[in-house]
Amino acid sequence: MPAPIPLPQHLTPLDGPPARLGPRLRIAVPSEALRPLGDTVADLLARLHAAGTAVTVGTDGDLRLTLDTPTDTEPIDPPQGIDPRTGIAPGAAPTAGPDAEAEVDPGRREAYGLVVDGGGGCAVTAGDAEGLFRGAVTFAQLLRRDSGGGFVMPRVRIADGPAFAWRGLSLDVVRRFFTVDQVKKVVDLLALYKFNVLHLHLSDSQAWRLEIGAWPRLTDPETWPGRATNADEGVRPYYTRDDFREIVAYAEARFVTVVPELDMPGHVLAAVRAYPELQGPDEPVHKLLAYLHPRGDATFRFVEDVLGEVAALTPGPFLHIGGDEAFGMPDELYREFVARALEIGRATGKRVVAWQEAARSGALTPADVAQEWVGAGDEFDADEARERIPPEYHALVDEMAKAFAESARDVPAAVAAGAPVLASASSVMYLDRRYAEDSRDAAQTARRTRVGHGSYPLRTCRELFDWTPGTLTEIPDGADVAGVEAAIWCETVEGFDDLAFLLLPRLPGIAEKAWTPARTEWDEYRGRLASHPAWWEALGWHDHYRSTTAFPE
């Protein structure tokens, strides 16, 4: 029997032949208010399986979605961490559900039961719409065409829910710009694997990708370093406010929360080129370095405007202020800036997320989230960097070495401050790493020396699967782990095909670590993965890596 990714907590095969469904799949939703959910499920089934679909209100359907507490199922372990839709921990008090009059236990928001017994079609039961959608995705992964043109489903009973409440992907749209439609394809992929966060890295040294009304020159490519738009020809290389709203709405319909990041006080060369007054009175140590000076006249007006506008555009409860790699910025100025930026972010009504270096400010609180990223084995090697780059950039290397020398103390400091830690260890969750193994396509094998950062140690798909969140040495004992988030940085990405090349087949493995509480084994997981490339193709991800490790002959 085919099994989905991520693997459900409890999956019990039932006796009997597969349930047979017709060529036109009928999705039944319990109320008119949930018809949009049915439409989203119908769209997924149509795209993955080229199926005709229809959505009805009631109980007559090939797939019935029912709002209720799943009964007669195995007990579900509640998730760990912070719910990105609500900003609260799953153990908190119940809240009113958006699609039902009953209260929804935060510990069961995404839990669902799925039963296919041959007698009454296929039924998904959950306490809220989000759980119904997760169950419908599992249904979509179990569904198969039969030889007569209809569909079959294995008889099965599933009781399922996530291990971690926050399961995300950080997408760098600065070093390589992706259009609204391309970002929607990323959302489709996240939804297929039960991720629930799209963290958009919207600003960096190379460009500023989100329109800010109070500071219009930020998105003027003429002010960006080198004037490099790094976008497809003819594409406006930034998102308007309406573009951003469109992405948020599309993601929300698939229960993916957008967390926007405006990186500061470092990684701001594009902003400083647009508004030189943000640099303040001090000269940076290198022409490629810039930072927002906390004692500049315009700095905190800028921060208030930017974070205020983005918070107003973002219905989700989180706002990311960056805080990483402020190379060349004196420690005192860094602490002063981050402390004030955290205050400004909180004042928008959002919970603030920052990269692990923000712990050096001494200003993190239990209301904030520290995103850990410096992974064991990926520490910065200054000597290697000096050998690799021209002498004119060695001042940059020196500043990087100073910053990374402090990194081992960041996460313990965040934990001591009571801040939850979002696990994004570069050692296993940075997917801009080159492949160690060959592809079954010779052209891809040659290309793997170009796509992906060469500074990371090479690791196979199997090595990037062989971990669990509980074994990450980067997270100290006693940490309150907010969740799990992969990242893809796009300095080597020249187009959407390169993004597919790096994300797949590795992203589904991250999904399994974030969703499935029990440790799963590589050989069994690889067997489940074998059928998934056809779905990637159906969703528009055509250039996934044909790894010899992930896909045996």
Side-chain angles (χ1 to χ4, degrees), residues 385-459:
R386 289 189 189 94
E387 291 179 0
R388 187 163 40 87
I389 67 175
E392 64 186 287
Y393 297 113
H394 284 187
L396 283 174
V397 174
D398 295 339
E399 294 302 324
M400 294 169 71
K402 289 178 189 176
F404 279 102
E406 301 294 317
S407 60
R409 292 186 278 273
D410 293 338
V411 180
V415 173
V421 176
L422 181 58
S424 296
S426 62
S427 53
V428 289
M429 282 181 271
Y430 272 29
L431 302 181
D432 47 317
R433 182 186 302 272
R434 291 179 182 175
Y435 288 90
E437 73 272 30
D438 288 347
S439 169
R440 300 206 172 278
D441 180 323
Q444 283 193 332
T445 298
R447 187 167 147 215
R448 71 185 171 97
T449 62
R450 177 185 65 80
V451 183
H453 284 293
S455 59
Y456 293 130
L458 297 179
R459 294 192 175 98

Side-chain angles (χ1 to χ4, degrees), residues 47 182 185 189 439 441 444 447 495-505 532-546 551:
R47 295 171 70 188
Q182 288 171 334
K185 288 184 180 181
L189 193 64
S439 169
D441 180 323
Q444 283 193 332
R447 187 167 147 215
F496 192 78
D497 282 350
D498 281 352
L499 185 66
F501 186 93
L502 289 172
L503 284 181
L504 296 168
H532 286 233
W535 295 334
W536 304 339
E537 292 283 343
L539 294 176
W541 294 84
H542 303 302
D543 207 23
H544 49 276
Y545 194 71
R546 278 70 169 172
F551 302 111

Side-chain angles (χ1 to χ4, degrees), residues 188-474:
D188 291 335
L189 193 64
L190 296 180
L192 179 64
Y193 292 110
K194 300 185 173 73
F195 286 97
N196 61 356
V197 170
L198 174 60
H199 166 178
L200 284 177
H201 183 78
L202 292 162
S203 70
D204 214 296
S205 293
Q206 294 83 358
W208 188 287
R209 300 295 192 184
L210 180 62
E211 183 179 53
I212 303 294
W215 300 80
R217 292 205 304 273
L218 290 172
T219 49
D220 181 357
E222 293 295 313
T223 69
W224 295 345
R227 300 184 182 179
T229 60
N230 201 9
D232 292 333
E233 187 175 351
V235 169
R236 184 186 59 246
Y238 63 89
Y239 305 114
T240 65
R241 288 182 286 272
D242 284 343
D243 289 338
F244 185 77
R245 292 186 187 100
E246 184 177 346
I247 289 169
V248 167
Y250 189 87
E252 192 172 25
R254 288 147 185 82
F255 300 94
V256 174
T257 297
V258 173
V259 176
E261 180 191 351
L262 289 309
D263 204 351
M264 54 184 75
H267 290 285
V268 293
L269 186 58
V272 169
R273 292 282 184 91
Y275 294 96
E277 62 268 32
L278 296 175
Q279 178 62 60
D282 300 333
E283 278 293 317
V285 298
H286 192 278
K287 64 181 180 180
L288 295 181
L289 294 180
Y291 57 85
L292 301 183
H293 200 294
R295 297 169 194 173
D297 294 339
T299 299
F300 289 119
R301 177 167 57 87
F302 172 82
V303 175
E304 288 175 352
D305 289 343
V306 167
L307 296 186
E309 282 200 39
V310 177
L313 283 171
T314 305
F318 290 94
L319 185 64
H320 203 305
I321 65 167
D324 63 314
E325 298 184 332
F327 300 139
M329 187 174 190
D331 293 344
E332 177 188 0
L333 297 181
Y334 178 82
R335 290 192 295 269
E336 184 177 341
F337 178 92
V338 171
R340 180 71 182 115
L342 287 167
E343 290 178 352
I344 293 170
R346 296 175 197 131
T348 67
K350 304 295 186 183
R351 291 191 67 174
V352 181
V353 188
W355 296 104
Q356 66 179 61
E357 292 95 322
R360 302 175 196 179
S361 70
L364 289 176
T365 73
D368 308 314
V369 177
Q371 187 164 8
E372 170 274 325
W373 70 276
V374 182
D378 285 345
E379 294 84 358
F380 182 66
D381 186 335
D383 291 336
E384 185 274 336
R386 289 189 189 94
E387 291 179 0
R388 187 163 40 87
I389 67 175
E392 64 186 287
Y393 297 113
H394 284 187
L396 283 174
V397 174
D398 295 339
E399 294 302 324
M400 294 169 71
K402 289 178 189 176
F404 279 102
E406 301 294 317
S407 60
R409 292 186 278 273
D410 293 338
V411 180
V415 173
V421 176
L422 181 58
S424 296
S426 62
S427 53
V428 289
M429 282 181 271
Y430 272 29
L431 302 181
D432 47 317
R433 182 186 302 272
R434 291 179 182 175
Y435 288 90
E437 73 272 30
D438 288 347
S439 169
R440 300 206 172 278
D441 180 323
Q444 283 193 332
T445 298
R447 187 167 147 215
R448 71 185 171 97
T449 62
R450 177 185 65 80
V451 183
H453 284 293
S455 59
Y456 293 130
L458 297 179
R459 294 192 175 98
T460 65
C461 287
R462 179 170 189 166
E463 289 172 318
L464 291 182
F465 182 83
D466 192 21
W467 62 281
T468 62
T471 60
L472 291 173
T473 59
E474 297 89 344

Side-chain angles (χ1 to χ4, degrees), residues 36-269:
L37 169 65
D39 292 338
T40 301
V41 172
D43 176 69
L44 178 68
L45 294 172
R47 295 171 70 188
L48 292 184
H49 297 287
T53 59
V55 178
T56 61
V57 175
T59 59
D60 183 18
D62 299 302
L63 172 62
R64 300 193 313 278
L65 304 180
T66 303
L67 275 177
D68 200 353
T69 301
T71 58
D72 300 325
T73 64
E74 297 287 341
I76 298 298
D77 295 332
Q80 178 180 351
I82 298 173
D83 185 337
R85 289 187 71 201
T86 65
I88 63 175
T95 57
D99 304 303
E101 294 181 0
E103 290 187 330
V104 179
D105 177 357
R108 296 189 60 84
R109 281 185 58 87
E110 298 181 270
Y112 68 91
L114 169 61
V115 178
V116 184
D117 60 14
C122 311
V124 173
T125 305
D128 70 345
E130 190 170 8
L132 293 178
F133 182 70
R134 304 298 177 213
V137 168
T138 300
F139 170 88
Q141 289 197 14
L142 289 171
L143 189 68
R144 294 292 185 273
R145 276 202 176 273
D146 69 10
S147 57
F151 293 91
V152 294
M153 278 287 291
R155 297 197 185 196
V156 67
R157 183 182 300 276
I158 290 174
D160 196 17
F164 286 90
W166 182 307
R167 307 174 307 280
L169 174 69
S170 174
L171 175 65
D172 173 12
V173 298
V174 178
R175 280 60 170 256
R176 173 66 200 189
F177 183 71
F178 299 106
T179 66
V180 171
D181 286 343
Q182 288 171 334
V183 175
K184 287 179 178 179
K185 288 184 180 181
V186 175
V187 172
D188 291 335
L189 193 64
L190 296 180
L192 179 64
Y193 292 110
K194 300 185 173 73
F195 286 97
N196 61 356
V197 170
L198 174 60
H199 166 178
L200 284 177
H201 183 78
L202 292 162
S203 70
D204 214 296
S205 293
Q206 294 83 358
W208 188 287
R209 300 295 192 184
L210 180 62
E211 183 179 53
I212 303 294
W215 300 80
R217 292 205 304 273
L218 290 172
T219 49
D220 181 357
E222 293 295 313
T223 69
W224 295 345
R227 300 184 182 179
T229 60
N230 201 9
D232 292 333
E233 187 175 351
V235 169
R236 184 186 59 246
Y238 63 89
Y239 305 114
T240 65
R241 288 182 286 272
D242 284 343
D243 289 338
F244 185 77
R245 292 186 187 100
E246 184 177 346
I247 289 169
V248 167
Y250 189 87
E252 192 172 25
R254 288 147 185 82
F255 300 94
V256 174
T257 297
V258 173
V259 176
E261 180 191 351
L262 289 309
D263 204 351
M264 54 184 75
H267 290 285
V268 293
L269 186 58

